[in-house]
Amino acid sequence: MIKNYQVGEFYTAKTFKESGFNFPDGEYKLKIIREGFPEVPVNDENELAIAEEQWLEGLEGSDQYKIDLDGNWYYFEFPINDEGIDYMWVPASVVVEVFE
């Protein structure tokens, strides 16, 4: 069950050991929530291609692909990090694992 995330609020990611996902330490500001995979980029032309590659690639044809594609997507502003990622779209299934 996904908690009620609020745009403008900050959320802290779990560690890799806790969630299985490697998100940098720090607080993530939730900027946007979209129902279904976003159709237009917000800050960068490549952000949707990156989100698709990161979260959907390899799931094609599976039930999880449809769930993630049609479910909510969360646009987080990343904390300062060495990875060079400023913002990223993240599907609800990953948000639940990383931020709850």
Side-chain angles (χ1 to χ4, degrees):
M1 180 73 184
I2 195 162
K3 67 182 179 181
N4 188 17
Y5 288 93
Q6 299 293 318
V7 170
E9 294 294 321
F10 288 87
Y11 299 93
T12 303
K14 294 177 184 176
T15 65
F16 175 76
K17 187 175 180 180
E18 293 172 313
S19 71
F21 293 94
N22 191 18
F23 277 67
D25 290 337
E27 291 192 322
Y28 293 72
K29 185 174 185 179
L30 181 56
K31 304 291 276 184
I32 304 168
I33 301 172
R34 290 281 186 264
E35 186 176 329
F37 189 77
E39 296 179 8
V40 295
V42 178
N43 286 305
D44 184 287
E45 291 178 11
N46 296 320
E47 67 192 15
L48 296 179
I50 292 168
E52 188 171 20
E53 180 180 313
Q54 179 75 28
W55 308 118
L56 298 176
E57 192 172 276
L59 294 176
E60 294 92 343
S62 72
D63 290 341
Q64 189 63 48
Y65 179 84
K66 180 93 171 120
I67 290 167
D68 284 350
L69 187 67
D70 295 338
N72 283 350
W73 284 76
Y74 299 81
Y75 193 66
F76 284 98
E77 179 178 359
F78 273 48
I80 296 173
N81 64 77
D82 297 333
E83 304 294 324
I85 300 170
D86 295 321
Y87 299 91
M88 183 181 284
W89 284 106
V90 182
S93 64
V94 175
V95 170
V96 169
E97 295 297 324
V98 173
F99 296 103
E100 286 197 1

